[in-house]
Amino acid sequence: MKRIEAVNDFVIKFANVNGSGSASANELFAKAILRMGVPVSPRNIFPSNIQGLPTWYEVRVTEKGWLGRRGGIDMMVAMNPQTWEADVAELEPGGYLFYDSTRPLPPAKFRDDINVIGMPLTEICNAVYTDARQRQLFKNIVYVGALSVLMEIEPEVIEKLFGEQYKGKEKLLSSNVQALHLGRDFAKEHLQWPIGLRVKRADNVGNKIFVDGNSAAALGCVYGGATVAAWYPITPSSSCAEAFQKYCMKMRVDPNTGQNKFAIVQAEDEIASIGMVVGAGWNGARAFTATSGPGISLMTEFIGLAYFAEIPVTIIDVQRGGPSTGMPTRTQQADILACAYASHGDTKHVLLLPEDPAECFEHAAAALDLADRLQTPVFLMTDLDIGMNQRLCAPFKWEDGKDYDRGKVMTAEELEAGKDFGRYKDVDGDGIPWRTLPGTHPTKGSYFTRGTTRDPYARYSERGPDYMYNVERLLRKFATAATMVPQPVIQLGRQQSKLGVIYYGSTSPAMKEALEVLDAQGVHIDAMRLRAFPFPESVARFIADHDKVFVVEQNRDAQMRSLLVNELEADPKKLLKVLHFDGTPITARFITRAIMDRLPSRMKSGGKVEEKMA
Amino acid sequence: MTYIAKPRLKHPTLETNKVGYTRRDYEGKISTLCAGCGHDSISAAIIQACWELDIEPHRVAKLSGIGCSSKTPDYFLGASHGFNTVHGRMPSVLTGANLANRELLYLGVSGDGDSASIGLGQFAHAMRRGVRMAYIVENNGVYGLTKGQFSATADQGSKSKKGVVNSDSPIDLVGIALQMGATYVGRGFSGNKAQLVPLIKGAITHGGAAFIDVISPCVAFNNHPGSTKSYDYVREHNESVSRIDFITPRDEIVSEYAPGEVVDVRQHDGTLLRLRSLHADYDPTNRHAAMSYMHEHAARGEVLTGLLYVDPLATDLHTAYNTSAKPLNSLDVPELCPGAAALEKINASLR
Ligand SMILES: Cc1ncc(C[n+]2csc(CCOP(=O)(O)OP(=O)(O)O)c2C)c(N)n1
Ligand code: SF4
């Protein structure tokens, strides 16, 4: 029978039951491979449920460092009887099925074209452990031990990871090591090893770090100087606020006084959380909230207020499947339009679009600066795929000596020196007015903030010209924003091309891989990764310079494409949709196929783009 | 255009307070509310209270929601920053502002529509969080700004101007404030300034969440027979638990009354709330007693006013959060940013 043979290049999937304690064992498996210098890219696939339902952890082992999902499964660790049929069916022919053989299964339960490896995990654990929870938990470590033999993962690496995890907890350390060897000993004695899938020490990880986007964004907020956070729990954003709390407890408690240099409120709902952020921003503190689609919906009235009254606000939107409760534990990029135009009336907001945790960190700090500079809401648009999955990425970078950009805040001294203060006057021609903070000066610079329109001196006014002055200035401010936001990244094809592709955010790793696959097939495409809205000038130029531009995104309605058409008046016929929206992260296979399918046959063999391309 | 500035002329003989301001310095723009609206009397009481407390106007941040009542912060303390937020959500904005800078005094102004309907949740949560502020609801039992619909504080059986009878039971914000853990709870009447001014003074100096429900008749839509929030009705049914004097440490404290009739309550900052009890058995420091006393009176159709409950040593959200004494909005890079070396360590821990 066929046997998949691959070294450092395969996909393994763990099918578990939620609440069985498998998560940390599976992560341990992935980290051990990383420590052997081989890049991995794991993904949590979990239902909207706490306990008992199926959960999967898919690890792509990838010597080349591709961090998108590949598609297809080479080995299934099938620990969940509930999902057995589907899990077995998912395997590639020649793949490996690892299962708990304590209770024998009839042959009909297996497939002829796969390699079956049975190990009596329950029996082994029941023999060694008496406590029910221990029997359950250590089963996971035992299978990691067995896999380490089958795939030649170095046991020392795993033991070292245990050492780090259970530092100072000797008992836990030794019992985990024991379980590991229980699995290893059994495998060595009773199973055939190594199998066709193997891990070989390499040097392809370099100084990269392995972290999830929510922690990274939270850390970015710490570094960026956020002092007030208000939030309401919602998957997949909760771990961002929780990570902020954790980092603050570690790094923001004054060592002399023991006092906190931060305030974190778990509010009663998203309306209150954004309200608190608006209040804090109005009063000169850097503040943010983290939420997801339904939270954004609730926040929109306040977002409009912050836009119109010009108050700095940072919103981290970790997108999930919508609309409504949609697929709360799956990923999408489906809040683009809801955020770009959040609230009633004519509004437009700044969106930042990080591709990975490294950019989550960088852009979160940048968002706080931009919000202060522009006095407006700034959205950090991540998604479940970046937010909740650990990814290999460049290490976090910070330059000491960097000051926060607090924007145009007029001080008491400036007021005293007689500077004219008109809260909504465009003094500098960039559309951004000056503000004062409450309590600044006994007699000068106070004003009344409101959502209703006003004159340049913040005095209530319903006059048409005053309204026009305001809303047109806000457009000027938005144009200024386009020059300040992170600029797009362009990657030109190996040969000059009339084909372009635009993508953003978590699509990035799959896209990079797809471009290389296409290139190898003679299809050369120029690529632009958007990093922000408003679109800098280069975006319109990129579209103009190409005959056809694929816009790849993870939603049903091509929201970014709509934004490009709407804001740049780009010709819709030129922008070809490539859409992936089943809730799983997009794969290189999907992108490659979608693009190849749309190319005329001549192009596929290296010809030129034809006009009639769909 | 409805913006009218007040003439800045001041009479040279106007009396100044200890910080050098005249009462005029505590005024704002000219009110655009209906002549006779209870809300204007409350603005006047706030002006009086701040002047008497020698507060520098710019040290006050005044926040409100949406409604006639919520417009009033524009009509007092013109040198303060004000924020007219969105309908019913002033409490969250005030909470955020307060967290950003604990050194200012926070005045929240709201209406009964604003706080008892759309904003009931935020009101309740601000009380239970213990946000330090003086939260004043100008309660007229109707929606003034949207022209006369019943609000959630309208009494069951009371009549609208059009003669419609309200069938829903009313929400008593004082009861909710007490239940939610507010540490200073009072009720006033816009027609009784002598009682209202010391109530507001006590609220402003209070160390935690202070709430005052002020019955404030709407002359346009709710001042007719059949309304339980009209001037006449409240005057006839008002019963005060005590007469309150507010005494700062520098005022001479003379005991004019025999012990037993007087309860002196000293707050954190040394100010004294002197309550001349009108009801021998009323104890303003007993939350549960205050609640049942209030409910008994409400059942009889009486409006109980005065300082209903106070925990004079209450602390606030900053104490609970152990927030730095230096305002969060004044912290800068050296205090906030852990720096590149710490980041390198974090990077190392993620490999
Ligand atoms: C989200 C929203 N819904 C409705 C309104 C309309 N609105 C404005 S003021 C108001 C009621 C105000 O009543 P209240 O708070 O009692 O204040 P009053 O005018 O009586 O002083 C309403 C419903 C609004 N501004 N925003
Ligand atoms: S409508 Fe009623 S509440 Fe509004 S200003 Fe007139 S009297 Fe006051």
Side-chain angles (χ1 to χ4, degrees), chain A residues 208-241:
Chain A
K208 289 207 177 81
I209 58 171
F210 188 60
V211 66
D212 63 281
N214 281 350
S215 303
L219 192 62
C221 289
V222 173
Y223 272 74
T227 50
V228 177
W231 65 293
Y232 187 74
I234 182 170
T235 308
S237 74
S238 300
S239 61
C240 182

Side-chain angles (χ1 to χ4, degrees), chain A residues 280-347:
Chain A
W282 174 73
N283 214 359
R286 293 197 151 186
F288 78 97
T289 183
T291 188
S292 192
I296 296 287
S297 299
L298 285 177
M299 292 178 183
T300 53
E301 187 187 16
F302 259 129
I303 292 168
L305 174 74
Y307 172 78
F308 199 49
E310 302 183 57
I311 294 163
V313 166
T314 296
I315 299 165
I316 298 175
D317 178 14
V318 189
Q319 298 167 90
R320 64 188 213 180
S324 185
T325 322
M327 293 199 288
T329 61
R330 309 292 153 135
T331 197
Q332 272 188 355
Q333 297 175 315
D335 300 345
I336 299 296
L337 288 172
C339 291
Y341 298 130
S343 206
H344 52 279
D346 295 321
T347 50

Side-chain angles (χ1 to χ4, degrees), chain A residues 416-549:
Chain A
E416 197 55 51
K419 260 205 176 175
D420 178 33
F421 175 71
R423 171 64 180 106
Y424 295 109
K425 268 176 65 171
D426 188 1
V427 186
D428 310 303
D430 56 4
I432 310 169
W434 283 80
R435 62 175 181 147
T436 54
L437 299 182
T440 298
H441 191 281
T443 54
K444 296 176 181 151
S446 72
Y447 66 95
F448 200 73
T449 306
R450 47 161 68 86
T452 35
T453 199
R454 61 266 139 150
D455 72 5
Y457 288 89
R459 293 174 299 208
Y460 180 80
S461 162
E462 288 175 14
R463 290 177 59 235
D466 283 334
Y467 177 78
M468 296 286 287
Y469 170 82
N470 256 306
V471 292
E472 283 174 349
R473 182 178 51 73
L474 286 170
L475 276 186
R476 249 186 339 271
K477 176 155 101 172
F478 205 61
T480 302
T483 66
M484 294 178 162
V485 295
Q487 302 293 302
V489 178
I490 298 177
Q491 183 194 323
L492 294 180
R494 200 149 45 92
Q495 283 171 26
Q496 211 188 7
S497 175
K498 282 283 152 197
L499 277 185
V501 61
I502 287 180
Y503 65 100
Y504 58 95
S506 63
T507 305
S508 193
M511 190 70 229
K512 283 180 185 149
E513 185 179 354
L515 285 171
E516 196 170 292
V517 173
L518 288 166
D519 180 78
Q521 297 178 16
V523 179
H524 308 295
I525 303 182
D526 297 335
M528 171 174 264
R529 177 165 73 86
L530 299 175
R531 295 205 295 164
F533 174 69
F535 303 121
E537 244 185 291
S538 52
V539 181
R541 223 178 311 125
F542 183 85
I543 295 173
D545 286 350
H546 294 88
D547 291 344
K548 296 286 173 192
V549 178

Side-chain angles (χ1 to χ4, degrees), chain A residues 301, chain B residues 39 66-69 87 111-114 118 140 142-146:
Chain A
E301 187 187 16
Chain B
H39 301 352
I66 297 288
C68 297
S69 34
H87 195 22
D112 44 310
D114 207 55
I118 189 166
N140 53 19
V142 286
Y143 288 177
L145 196 64
T146 52

Side-chain angles (χ1 to χ4, degrees), chain A residues 584-606:
Chain A
T584 61
I586 195 168
T587 61
R589 277 185 193 179
F590 177 89
I591 299 172
T592 314
R593 196 170 310 139
I595 291 182
M596 286 303 269
D597 284 354
R598 308 277 273 286
L599 296 178
S601 50
R602 243 166 22 89
M603 252 231 64
K604 287 178 196 162
S605 50

Side-chain angles (χ1 to χ4, degrees), chain B residues 4-17:
Chain B
I4 310 163
K6 272 206 177 159
R8 299 297 302 161
L9 281 177
K10 270 190 236 171
H11 198 276
T13 61
L14 274 182
E15 194 187 342
T16 58
N17 61 9

Side-chain angles (χ1 to χ4, degrees), chain A residues 1-134:
Chain A
M1 198 215 321
K2 192 187 152 198
R3 206 169 94 120
I4 296 176
E5 300 278 345
V7 178
N8 291 353
D9 186 13
F10 55 88
V11 178
I12 174 168
K13 191 167 179 176
F14 299 84
N16 295 102
V17 180
N18 220 352
S20 64
S22 58
S24 55
N26 296 344
E27 192 188 318
L28 176 80
F29 172 85
K31 271 197 144 171
I33 297 175
L34 254 188
R35 289 285 178 92
M36 286 177 67
V38 181
V40 293
S41 169
R43 296 228 160 35
N44 284 297
I45 303 160
F46 58 100
S48 178
N49 182 277
I50 304 302
Q51 217 155 24
L53 280 192
T55 169
W56 293 269
Y57 188 71
E58 184 183 301
V59 184
R60 180 175 185 186
V61 179
T62 147
E63 173 132 5
K64 278 186 140 181
W66 298 124
L67 300 181
R69 276 178 74 222
R70 186 197 69 182
I73 304 297
D74 301 317
M75 180 175 207
M76 180 69 71
V77 179
M79 302 297 293
N80 187 353
Q82 254 184 321
T83 57
W84 177 269
E85 314 286 332
D87 292 337
V88 172
E90 212 182 340
L91 273 168
E92 301 272 309
Y96 303 82
L97 176 74
F98 181 96
Y99 81 111
D100 181 355
S101 61
T102 304
R103 272 181 40 214
L105 289 171
K109 288 279 193 185
F110 301 97
R111 266 167 55 186
D112 295 340
D113 60 344
I114 55 172
N115 306 286
V116 177
I117 308 165
M119 177 167 168
L121 290 165
T122 307
E123 192 185 303
I124 295 172
C125 287
N126 287 356
V128 179
Y129 304 102
T130 47
D131 176 71
R133 185 67 184 156
Q134 275 191 343

